[in-house]
Amino acid sequence: MEQEEKWKTAAISMASDIKVQTFGGAEKITQTVEDMEKVQTIINNWNSMSKKSANLTIEQYGPPNEAIPSRLIWYSNGPWKRTIVYRDEIPHDFPQPHTDVIEQVINYKVPQEMFNELAKFDGSIIVEKTKGEVSSRCDMEAANFTAINVMHDICTGKLNAEEGRDLLCEVMSAHMMNKPAPYAEKLQFDVSKKEKYDTDVVMIADEMVEQAIEKVNDIVDDSMGNGRYH
């Protein structure tokens, strides 16, 4: 990439950052739903666990908003910001052998000092620091409810990683035995519908910022004919 093109790319990126931080709208969701004939054609070729998870999620939340050969996606379904059922399975032996096929996402800002603790708790808890999201990926929604509820207990200091692992095992055992298991049934804490971005801090040299700002201004002038950033 030529130097001029690098600066143009950096300028467009900076302008986009300014726009979404000022006006919002960084994340868009698909409002329409997919045709079920198309969806069934896709999942008919999937392995049994992925197909089972897809059908259970359809039964619970209706047709997905998006469907491609490798995944189905729902937006704002129930308590979740996003649910993805994957064709491809990830083997996982905690708390018992299974494959991870369904990922469910919430807005959640994890304290930085808790990142390692969550990694020790469950490798299928996924923290997106910049996006301000946490997701759990497992074989069923009940397991995701449990993992995220325990994740919250760890982040709020009620449990450490080992205690969290023990509690998850207890809850899932109770759930599979049809005993009361509130942690497996719904989220036990309030979840914000508002994005919780962690944009970090600017660290590139001042002169680089100035040059990028000049490119932003050039783009603004060329496209709109008015307004400049300062």
Side-chain angles (χ1 to χ4, degrees):
M1 185 184 295
E2 297 295 328
Q3 185 67 36
E4 182 70 13
E5 194 60 34
K6 290 178 183 177
W7 282 117
K8 286 182 180 178
T9 302
I12 291 170
S13 183
M14 182 179 290
S16 294
D17 177 81
I18 293 169
K19 178 181 176 182
V20 298
Q21 290 206 52
T22 303
F23 301 107
E27 297 187 54
K28 298 176 176 61
I29 65 173
T30 302
Q31 300 283 358
T32 55
V33 297
E34 292 282 1
D35 177 72
M36 277 305 301
E37 185 174 342
K38 171 187 172 181
V39 173
Q40 289 298 334
T41 299
I42 288 172
I43 65 176
N44 280 343
N45 295 319
W46 288 8
N47 290 337
S48 57
M49 190 62 238
S50 296
K51 186 186 298 185
K52 177 71 172 177
S53 183
N55 283 324
L56 287 173
T57 308
I58 290 166
E59 182 180 327
Q60 177 72 17
Y61 296 112
N65 298 109
E66 297 179 15
I68 59 174
S70 65
R71 68 199 63 188
L72 308 179
I73 306 173
W74 289 256
Y75 293 99
S76 301
N77 61 310
W80 308 111
K81 181 177 185 179
R82 188 167 61 255
T83 291
I84 306 170
V85 177
Y86 295 96
R87 172 195 63 197
D88 302 330
E89 302 172 273
I90 300 173
H92 191 193
D93 287 342
F94 172 74
Q96 76 283 328
H98 66 279
T99 55
D100 289 346
V101 294
I102 179 170
E103 181 178 6
Q104 293 175 299
V105 184
I106 61 171
N107 287 320
Y108 196 94
K109 188 173 182 178
V110 172
Q112 190 161 318
E113 65 273 16
M114 291 296 180
F115 279 37
N116 286 342
E117 201 69 11
L118 291 183
K120 288 188 288 184
F121 160 57
D122 186 348
S124 292
I125 286 288
I126 303 159
V127 179
E128 291 262 16
K129 182 174 183 286
T130 304
K131 290 183 73 175
E133 292 181 349
V134 170
S135 66
S136 174
R137 189 172 56 208
C138 206
D139 59 342
M140 64 180 83
E141 184 174 53
N144 286 335
F145 275 132
T146 303
I148 288 184
N149 281 322
V150 175
M151 176 278 302
H152 177 69
D153 284 351
I154 293 171
C155 287
T156 53
K158 295 178 182 178
L159 302 171
N160 62 31
E162 287 304 316
E163 291 167 338
R165 289 171 70 85
D166 290 342
L167 177 57
L168 187 144
C169 292
E170 291 173 12
V171 171
M172 290 309 300
S173 295
H175 173 74
M176 297 306 293
M177 297 295 291
N178 284 329
K179 296 179 180 179
Y183 268 41
E185 297 164 8
K186 66 178 183 178
L187 296 177
Q188 301 295 307
F189 59 96
D190 293 331
V191 176
S192 173
K193 297 296 184 181
K194 187 177 180 180
E195 291 83 2
K196 294 176 175 287
Y197 301 124
D198 183 343
T199 60
D200 214 322
V201 296
V202 177
M203 292 186 66
I204 61 174
D206 290 345
E207 59 270 21
M208 292 179 65
V209 174
E210 288 300 322
Q211 290 184 61
I213 288 173
E214 282 304 310
K215 289 297 179 184
V216 172
N217 287 328
D218 290 343
I219 292 169
V220 171
D221 289 344
D222 290 343
S223 62
M224 295 188 295
N226 57 22
R228 294 178 70 85
Y229 294 107
H230 300 286

